Amino acid sequence: MRKSIIFFFFIISFIFAFDYYPGYDTLKWCNIEPYSSGYTGSGKYFGYGVKLTPQYYPAIISGIYHRVFRFYHPAMHIRIVDDDGNNGAPQTTLFFFDTLTTNYSLSFVYHPIPPNCTIWEGSFYLFILNGYETTYALNWLRDSFLNAPANSYWRYSQTTGYTSFSPQSDLQMCAVVEYHDVGIESIANLPDTLYVGSLYRIDLWIKEYAGFFEREVPLIFNVANYYDTLYLSLYPNSSIRQRYQWPVNLPPGDYLLKFYTSLRSDARKENDTLRKYITILAGSAIEEKNQREKILTVYNPLGQKIKSKKLKRGIYFLKEEKKLKKKIIIKD
């Protein structure tokens, strides 16, 4: 399983009533209800963890949401662990930091995490462990019901490592993840038929759907073996119009043209690409129109302009675009 691992140790703790926002999801088994009871345990880095699975990928873990409070000491060690052990057991630590928890509160506690721990596939474990104290530091609260399937909860100690654990009810620990999403809404000024040598100004509308500010989003243009990339910044839940100028220099033929966004953290790929079949013809549409509307001017030897309908037998000179082209002779 491939997951990005970046460690940050700065954390700010605060308490607030968490709600669902566009682009966010709370991964949990607990019901977020008043606690029924709890667990304690002694030893440095002793504690409990829960297995969680995102709905979409990639999922960026941006915070944890829990009711784990201080018992004798507030030291807390938060750890995100991969499920790459035998049969999906916890094994590789992806992210960790040390922080402090609070006294018992009616509210859940939210710890934001710098959004740099990304889950690309599968599940992960959220562990909340005692900090540097070896006494009974923390109290893990739990619900009245058990919703999680078997092998969802694990216990950790420095002596035994990770071991499966079966609580009487769900522990009140959740992970908050971000699902990013940008896409192409529509396209304009792209005809079905194009001409070699012509310049086309194509308009695209690109939108940010999930409520995040996105910097340097690649917008890629592709036709045949030609690729070009623009970089866009998008405000939360906003659309922008981007004009792309394309001087057609491909040989005549039928082509599949594509515009697509390439945001690495995009969790919804189905709105990223716009495709269109086009036909490229030789020459220019403007030149073709002028050719159809071309008017030839005829002059007699005295230089007088003669209407084509009044031409009689004689010698005339044919002019095109102010240049003498040829002499013509009309006979009976």
Side-chain angles (χ1 to χ4, degrees):
M1 179 183 300
R2 181 168 61 92
K3 300 181 174 75
S4 63
I5 307 174
I6 300 179
F7 298 107
F8 285 84
F9 298 93
F10 174 76
I11 197 70
I12 299 175
S13 301
F14 59 93
I15 299 175
F16 77 114
F18 187 82
D19 199 356
Y20 295 92
Y21 295 99
Y24 288 96
D25 192 12
T26 303
L27 307 181
K28 62 183 179 63
W29 290 109
C30 63
N31 294 320
I32 310 184
E33 63 181 16
Y35 78 95
S36 172
S37 184
Y39 296 101
T40 61
S42 65
K44 182 179 180 180
Y45 297 145
F46 172 86
Y48 301 92
V50 58
K51 187 175 186 177
L52 301 169
T53 304
Q55 184 177 1
Y56 306 104
Y57 302 96
I60 302 173
I61 303 174
S62 60
I64 65 167
Y65 188 46
H66 65 88
R67 294 186 75 192
V68 178
F69 300 109
R70 64 179 296 172
F71 195 67
Y72 288 117
H73 197 278
M76 173 186 286
H77 178 83
I78 297 173
R79 186 181 296 177
I80 306 297
V81 183
D82 198 355
D83 69 338
D84 56 348
N86 292 331
N87 298 316
Q91 180 169 296
T92 303
T93 298
L94 302 176
F95 182 92
F96 70 90
F97 62 89
D98 292 290
T99 184
L100 300 177
T101 189
T102 63
N103 292 322
Y104 170 77
S105 170
L106 292 177
S107 300
F108 274 66
V109 174
Y110 179 74
H111 283 82
I113 295 175
N116 291 283
C117 184
T118 302
I119 307 301
W120 296 97
E121 61 181 359
S123 303
F124 68 94
Y125 290 88
L126 165 63
F127 278 88
I128 300 179
L129 311 175
N130 287 331
Y132 51 82
E133 288 292 316
T134 60
T135 59
Y136 290 84
L138 302 178
N139 187 14
W140 292 261
L141 302 186
R142 58 184 174 86
D143 280 351
S144 302
F145 302 97
L146 181 62
N147 298 311
N151 296 319
S152 294
Y153 289 100
W154 290 69
R155 189 162 36 206
Y156 177 80
S157 75
Q158 290 183 306
T159 304
T160 61
Y162 294 110
T163 56
S164 184
F165 167 69
S166 299
Q168 293 177 312
S169 55
D170 290 306
L171 299 183
Q172 296 179 328
M173 300 189 300
C174 321
V176 179
V177 296
E178 298 177 3
Y179 301 126
H180 289 232
D181 182 23
V182 300
I184 300 177
E185 287 186 295
S186 60
I187 190 170
N189 301 325
L190 177 60
D192 296 330
T193 302
L194 299 88
Y195 295 87
V196 176
S198 296
L199 176 66
Y200 294 88
R201 296 174 175 86
I202 305 168
D203 289 323
L204 299 110
W205 279 262
I206 297 92
K207 183 172 182 179
E208 196 290 320
Y209 291 93
F212 303 103
F213 180 72
E214 301 289 2
R215 297 175 177 85
E216 299 294 312
V217 177
L219 173 64
I220 300 172
F221 170 69
N222 166 235
V223 59
N225 294 322
Y226 177 78
Y227 290 85
D228 193 15
T229 304
L230 303 176
Y231 294 90
L232 313 175
S233 292
L234 301 170
Y235 287 95
N237 302 116
S238 68
S239 296
I240 65 169
R241 185 184 75 170
Q242 178 64 45
R243 173 159 290 180
Y244 182 79
Q245 298 191 96
W246 182 33
V248 178
N249 57 359
L250 295 173
D254 295 325
Y255 295 89
L256 173 62
L257 179 149
K258 293 190 295 184
F259 284 96
Y260 59 95
T261 57
S262 184
L263 181 66
R264 189 165 183 261
S265 60
D266 199 320
R268 193 161 65 108
K269 303 296 186 183
E270 58 266 26
N271 61 355
D272 292 353
T273 304
L274 190 148
R275 299 175 175 87
K276 183 171 182 177
Y277 287 96
I278 59 171
T279 298
I280 296 178
L281 300 179
S284 164
I286 296 176
E287 291 177 1
E288 183 181 88
K289 180 180 178 182
N290 290 343
Q291 184 71 23
R292 291 196 305 266
E293 296 177 353
K294 187 180 295 180
I295 297 175
L296 302 179
T297 305
V298 179
Y299 295 84
N300 64 19
L302 299 177
Q304 296 172 323
K305 186 185 297 186
I306 306 297
K307 293 183 179 180
S308 60
K309 292 182 179 180
K310 296 183 178 181
L311 292 180
K312 298 180 180 180
R313 184 177 60 179
I315 298 175
Y316 299 92
F317 294 92
L318 180 65
K319 268 190 174 183
E320 181 181 353
E321 298 179 355
K322 299 183 180 180
K323 293 183 180 180
L324 186 62
K325 293 294 184 181
K326 64 176 73 174
K327 181 171 74 173
I328 60 174
I329 299 175
I330 299 180
K331 300 180 180 180
D332 289 337

